[in-house]
Amino acid sequence: MLKNIAFVFILLLTSCKGNTQEKKEIAVQKTETKEKTFAVTKTDAEWQEQLSPDQFYVLRKAATENPFTSDLLDNKKEGVYVCAGCDTPLFKSTTKFDSGTGWPSFYEEIEGNVAYDVDYKIGYKRTEEHCATCGGHLGHVFEDGPAPTGERHCINGVALKFVAEN
């Protein structure tokens, strides 16, 4: 009986994965993200002058707005959603859908205008989306969306402006 207990104990000890290596990987990812340069660059003071406090907090500090608070959540008009920081077109209204999550969601981005990074902020790997022109944080993309892509681009509404079609 003691042999069985000792065996299980040794098995548990050897199968445990340490967090030290994982934390180093996270630090590398964060460093790589900060080294990127974008076509539109401004100081925090310049961004604060241009953006509302909520926009600055989300776009420049990678925060998340509260769910079900965006004026764009129930927008059904035709047009394009652009970056609130630099007006880069990001999503077409034809790709918007109701995900039930409380944030505007799209199944497809405008190719080349959205960039991606790995985000470990809540303890596990997620794919962060940001504007490819100014680097503003938009939200995250998940693989639980509708056809044809199966993607759910879960975007902070405050990071977007809507431009109606004509």
Side-chain angles (χ1 to χ4, degrees), residues 6-41:
F7 176 75
V8 170
F9 182 73
I10 290 171
L11 185 63
L12 285 172
L13 283 177
T14 58
S15 66
C16 291
K17 180 181 175 186
N19 289 332
T20 306
Q21 291 176 338
E22 202 167 319
K23 288 180 182 175
K24 287 179 185 174
E25 182 180 334
I26 292 168
V28 169
Q29 289 290 342
K30 287 182 179 177
T31 303
E32 289 174 1
T33 300
K34 292 182 187 263
E35 291 176 7
K36 292 184 179 182
T37 57
F38 298 96
V40 174
T41 56

Short mmCIF file of all heavy atoms in Angstrom, two decimals, residues 6-41:
data_model
loop_
_atom_site.label_atom_id
_atom_site.label_comp_id
_atom_site.label_asym_id
_atom_site.label_seq_id
_atom_site.Cartn_x
_atom_site.Cartn_y
_atom_site.Cartn_z
N ALA A 6 3.48 5.99 -2.62
CA ALA A 6 4.75 6.60 -3.01
C ALA A 6 4.82 6.74 -4.53
O ALA A 6 5.26 7.77 -5.05
CB ALA A 6 5.92 5.77 -2.48
N PHE A 7 4.37 5.72 -5.25
CA PHE A 7 4.38 5.76 -6.71
C PHE A 7 3.51 6.90 -7.24
O PHE A 7 3.91 7.66 -8.12
CB PHE A 7 3.93 4.41 -7.27
CG PHE A 7 3.83 4.40 -8.75
CD1 PHE A 7 4.97 4.34 -9.55
CD2 PHE A 7 2.60 4.47 -9.39
CE1 PHE A 7 4.88 4.34 -10.93
CE2 PHE A 7 2.50 4.47 -10.76
CZ PHE A 7 3.65 4.41 -11.54
N VAL A 8 2.30 7.02 -6.71
CA VAL A 8 1.39 8.08 -7.13
C VAL A 8 1.98 9.45 -6.80
O VAL A 8 1.93 10.38 -7.61
CB VAL A 8 -0.01 7.91 -6.48
CG1 VAL A 8 -0.87 9.12 -6.70
CG2 VAL A 8 -0.68 6.66 -7.01
N PHE A 9 2.57 9.59 -5.63
CA PHE A 9 3.17 10.86 -5.22
C PHE A 9 4.31 11.25 -6.17
O PHE A 9 4.40 12.39 -6.63
CB PHE A 9 3.67 10.75 -3.77
CG PHE A 9 4.26 12.01 -3.25
CD1 PHE A 9 3.44 13.10 -2.93
CD2 PHE A 9 5.62 12.15 -3.09
CE1 PHE A 9 3.97 14.27 -2.45
CE2 PHE A 9 6.17 13.33 -2.62
CZ PHE A 9 5.35 14.39 -2.30
N ILE A 10 5.19 10.30 -6.49
CA ILE A 10 6.30 10.57 -7.41
C ILE A 10 5.77 10.90 -8.80
O ILE A 10 6.26 11.81 -9.46
CB ILE A 10 7.27 9.37 -7.44
CG1 ILE A 10 8.02 9.27 -6.10
CG2 ILE A 10 8.26 9.49 -8.58
CD1 ILE A 10 8.84 8.01 -5.93
N LEU A 11 4.76 10.18 -9.23
CA LEU A 11 4.15 10.45 -10.53
C LEU A 11 3.59 11.86 -10.60
O LEU A 11 3.78 12.58 -11.58
CB LEU A 11 3.04 9.42 -10.81
CG LEU A 11 2.38 9.50 -12.18
CD1 LEU A 11 3.41 9.22 -13.28
CD2 LEU A 11 1.24 8.52 -12.27
N LEU A 12 2.92 12.29 -9.54
CA LEU A 12 2.37 13.65 -9.49
C LEU A 12 3.47 14.70 -9.54
O LEU A 12 3.36 15.71 -10.22
CB LEU A 12 1.50 13.85 -8.26
CG LEU A 12 0.12 13.19 -8.29
CD1 LEU A 12 -0.54 13.32 -6.92
CD2 LEU A 12 -0.74 13.83 -9.35
N LEU A 13 4.53 14.49 -8.79
CA LEU A 13 5.63 15.45 -8.76
C LEU A 13 6.32 15.58 -10.11
O LEU A 13 6.66 16.69 -10.53
CB LEU A 13 6.66 15.05 -7.70
CG LEU A 13 6.29 15.34 -6.25
CD1 LEU A 13 7.37 14.82 -5.32
CD2 LEU A 13 6.08 16.82 -6.03
N THR A 14 6.52 14.48 -10.79
CA THR A 14 7.22 14.53 -12.07
C THR A 14 6.34 15.02 -13.22
O THR A 14 6.83 15.48 -14.23
CB THR A 14 7.82 13.15 -12.44
OG1 THR A 14 6.76 12.21 -12.49
CG2 THR A 14 8.88 12.74 -11.44
N SER A 15 5.03 14.92 -13.06
CA SER A 15 4.15 15.35 -14.14
C SER A 15 3.74 16.80 -14.04
O SER A 15 3.14 17.34 -14.95
CB SER A 15 2.89 14.47 -14.18
OG SER A 15 2.12 14.69 -13.02
N CYS A 16 4.07 17.45 -12.95
CA CYS A 16 3.71 18.87 -12.78
C CYS A 16 4.57 19.73 -13.68
O CYS A 16 5.77 19.52 -13.80
CB CYS A 16 3.88 19.31 -11.33
SG CYS A 16 2.68 18.56 -10.24
N LYS A 17 3.97 20.71 -14.28
CA LYS A 17 4.68 21.65 -15.15
C LYS A 17 4.90 22.94 -14.38
O LYS A 17 3.96 23.53 -13.85
CB LYS A 17 3.87 21.93 -16.41
CG LYS A 17 4.53 22.89 -17.36
CD LYS A 17 3.65 23.13 -18.57
CE LYS A 17 4.27 24.19 -19.45
NZ LYS A 17 3.40 24.55 -20.54
N GLY A 18 6.12 23.40 -14.34
CA GLY A 18 6.42 24.64 -13.65
C GLY A 18 5.98 25.85 -14.44
O GLY A 18 5.88 25.81 -15.67
N ASN A 19 5.72 26.93 -13.75
CA ASN A 19 5.27 28.17 -14.41
C ASN A 19 6.42 29.06 -14.84
O ASN A 19 6.23 30.01 -15.56
CB ASN A 19 4.35 28.96 -13.47
CG ASN A 19 3.03 28.29 -13.30
OD1 ASN A 19 2.58 27.57 -14.17
ND2 ASN A 19 2.40 28.51 -12.16
N THR A 20 7.63 28.77 -14.37
CA THR A 20 8.76 29.65 -14.65
C THR A 20 8.99 29.81 -16.15
O THR A 20 9.15 30.91 -16.64
CB THR A 20 10.03 29.10 -13.98
OG1 THR A 20 9.74 28.90 -12.60
CG2 THR A 20 11.17 30.07 -14.11
N GLN A 21 9.02 28.73 -16.89
CA GLN A 21 9.25 28.82 -18.33
C GLN A 21 8.12 29.56 -19.02
O GLN A 21 8.34 30.34 -19.92
CB GLN A 21 9.37 27.42 -18.92
CG GLN A 21 10.63 26.71 -18.50
CD GLN A 21 10.68 25.30 -19.02
OE1 GLN A 21 9.65 24.71 -19.34
NE2 GLN A 21 11.88 24.76 -19.13
N GLU A 22 6.90 29.35 -18.60
CA GLU A 22 5.75 30.00 -19.20
C GLU A 22 5.82 31.51 -18.99
O GLU A 22 5.53 32.29 -19.89
CB GLU A 22 4.47 29.44 -18.59
CG GLU A 22 3.27 29.64 -19.48
CD GLU A 22 2.09 28.82 -19.02
OE1 GLU A 22 2.28 27.65 -18.63
OE2 GLU A 22 0.98 29.37 -19.04
N LYS A 23 6.23 31.96 -17.82
CA LYS A 23 6.32 33.39 -17.55
C LYS A 23 7.37 34.05 -18.42
O LYS A 23 7.20 35.16 -18.87
CB LYS A 23 6.62 33.63 -16.07
CG LYS A 23 5.43 33.32 -15.19
CD LYS A 23 5.74 33.55 -13.74
CE LYS A 23 4.53 33.18 -12.89
NZ LYS A 23 4.80 33.27 -11.47
N LYS A 24 8.48 33.35 -18.68
CA LYS A 24 9.50 33.90 -19.57
C LYS A 24 8.93 34.08 -20.97
O LYS A 24 9.19 35.07 -21.62
CB LYS A 24 10.72 32.98 -19.60
CG LYS A 24 11.54 33.03 -18.34
CD LYS A 24 12.72 32.10 -18.40
CE LYS A 24 13.46 32.08 -17.08
NZ LYS A 24 14.52 31.09 -17.05
N GLU A 25 8.14 33.12 -21.43
CA GLU A 25 7.51 33.20 -22.75
C GLU A 25 6.57 34.40 -22.81
O GLU A 25 6.54 35.13 -23.78
CB GLU A 25 6.74 31.91 -23.04
CG GLU A 25 6.11 31.89 -24.40
CD GLU A 25 5.35 30.61 -24.66
OE1 GLU A 25 5.68 29.58 -24.05
OE2 GLU A 25 4.41 30.66 -25.46
N ILE A 26 5.82 34.63 -21.76
CA ILE A 26 4.90 35.77 -21.70
C ILE A 26 5.68 37.07 -21.79
O ILE A 26 5.32 37.98 -22.52
CB ILE A 26 4.06 35.72 -20.42
CG1 ILE A 26 3.10 34.54 -20.48
CG2 ILE A 26 3.30 37.02 -20.21
CD1 ILE A 26 2.42 34.22 -19.18
N ALA A 27 6.78 37.17 -21.05
CA ALA A 27 7.59 38.38 -21.06
C ALA A 27 8.14 38.65 -22.46
O ALA A 27 8.17 39.78 -22.92
CB ALA A 27 8.73 38.27 -20.05
N VAL A 28 8.55 37.60 -23.16
CA VAL A 28 9.05 37.75 -24.53
C VAL A 28 7.94 38.28 -25.43
O VAL A 28 8.15 39.19 -26.21
CB VAL A 28 9.59 36.40 -25.06
CG1 VAL A 28 9.87 36.48 -26.55
CG2 VAL A 28 10.85 36.02 -24.31
N GLN A 29 6.73 37.74 -25.32
CA GLN A 29 5.62 38.18 -26.14
C GLN A 29 5.32 39.66 -25.91
O GLN A 29 5.10 40.41 -26.84
CB GLN A 29 4.36 37.36 -25.85
CG GLN A 29 4.43 35.94 -26.35
CD GLN A 29 4.38 35.86 -27.87
OE1 GLN A 29 3.99 36.79 -28.55
NE2 GLN A 29 4.82 34.75 -28.40
N LYS A 30 5.31 40.09 -24.66
CA LYS A 30 5.02 41.49 -24.37
C LYS A 30 6.10 42.40 -24.93
O LYS A 30 5.82 43.46 -25.46
CB LYS A 30 4.89 41.70 -22.85
CG LYS A 30 3.62 41.13 -22.29
CD LYS A 30 3.51 41.40 -20.81
CE LYS A 30 2.22 40.83 -20.26
NZ LYS A 30 2.12 41.02 -18.82
N THR A 31 7.35 41.98 -24.84
CA THR A 31 8.45 42.78 -25.37
C THR A 31 8.32 42.91 -26.88
O THR A 31 8.47 43.99 -27.42
CB THR A 31 9.80 42.12 -25.03
OG1 THR A 31 9.87 41.99 -23.61
CG2 THR A 31 10.96 42.96 -25.51
N GLU A 32 8.02 41.80 -27.56
CA GLU A 32 7.90 41.85 -29.01
C GLU A 32 6.78 42.79 -29.44
O GLU A 32 6.91 43.51 -30.40
CB GLU A 32 7.63 40.45 -29.55
CG GLU A 32 8.84 39.54 -29.45
CD GLU A 32 8.54 38.11 -29.84
OE1 GLU A 32 7.38 37.82 -30.20
OE2 GLU A 32 9.45 37.28 -29.75
N THR A 33 5.67 42.80 -28.71
CA THR A 33 4.54 43.65 -29.06
C THR A 33 4.92 45.12 -28.96
O THR A 33 4.57 45.91 -29.82
CB THR A 33 3.35 43.36 -28.12
OG1 THR A 33 3.00 42.00 -28.28
CG2 THR A 33 2.17 44.23 -28.45
N LYS A 34 5.65 45.51 -27.93
CA LYS A 34 5.97 46.91 -27.72
C LYS A 34 6.99 47.44 -28.72
O LYS A 34 7.10 48.63 -28.90
CB LYS A 34 6.47 47.12 -26.28
CG LYS A 34 5.36 46.91 -25.27
CD LYS A 34 5.85 47.17 -23.88
CE LYS A 34 4.79 46.80 -22.88
NZ LYS A 34 3.98 47.84 -22.41
N GLU A 35 7.75 46.56 -29.39
CA GLU A 35 8.77 47.00 -30.33
C GLU A 35 8.21 47.35 -31.70
O GLU A 35 8.92 47.89 -32.52
CB GLU A 35 9.85 45.91 -30.45
CG GLU A 35 10.67 45.75 -29.19
CD GLU A 35 11.66 44.60 -29.29
OE1 GLU A 35 11.79 44.00 -30.39
OE2 GLU A 35 12.29 44.29 -28.28
N LYS A 36 6.97 47.02 -31.98
CA LYS A 36 6.40 47.29 -33.29
C LYS A 36 6.20 48.79 -33.49
O LYS A 36 5.88 49.51 -32.57
CB LYS A 36 5.06 46.56 -33.43
CG LYS A 36 5.22 45.07 -33.48
CD LYS A 36 3.91 44.38 -33.72
CE LYS A 36 4.16 42.89 -33.79
NZ LYS A 36 2.96 42.16 -34.06
N THR A 37 6.36 49.20 -34.73
CA THR A 37 6.11 50.59 -35.07
C THR A 37 4.95 50.62 -36.06
O THR A 37 4.74 49.69 -36.83
CB THR A 37 7.36 51.25 -35.70
OG1 THR A 37 7.76 50.50 -36.83
CG2 THR A 37 8.50 51.31 -34.70
N PHE A 38 4.22 51.72 -36.02
CA PHE A 38 3.04 51.86 -36.85
C PHE A 38 3.13 53.14 -37.66
O PHE A 38 3.85 54.07 -37.29
CB PHE A 38 1.78 51.86 -35.97
CG PHE A 38 1.61 50.58 -35.20
CD1 PHE A 38 2.06 50.47 -33.90
CD2 PHE A 38 1.04 49.47 -35.80
CE1 PHE A 38 1.93 49.28 -33.20
CE2 PHE A 38 0.90 48.28 -35.12
CZ PHE A 38 1.35 48.18 -33.81
N ALA A 39 2.37 53.21 -38.74
CA ALA A 39 2.39 54.39 -39.63
C ALA A 39 1.94 55.64 -38.88
O ALA A 39 2.46 56.73 -39.12
CB ALA A 39 1.50 54.14 -40.84
N VAL A 40 0.97 55.51 -37.98
CA VAL A 40 0.51 56.64 -37.17
C VAL A 40 1.02 56.43 -35.75
O VAL A 40 0.64 55.46 -35.09
CB VAL A 40 -1.03 56.75 -37.17
CG1 VAL A 40 -1.50 57.83 -36.21
CG2 VAL A 40 -1.55 57.01 -38.58
N THR A 41 1.91 57.29 -35.31
CA THR A 41 2.43 57.21 -33.94
C THR A 41 2.29 58.58 -33.28
O THR A 41 2.53 59.62 -33.91
CB THR A 41 3.90 56.77 -33.90
OG1 THR A 41 4.67 57.67 -34.70
CG2 THR A 41 4.08 55.37 -34.43
#
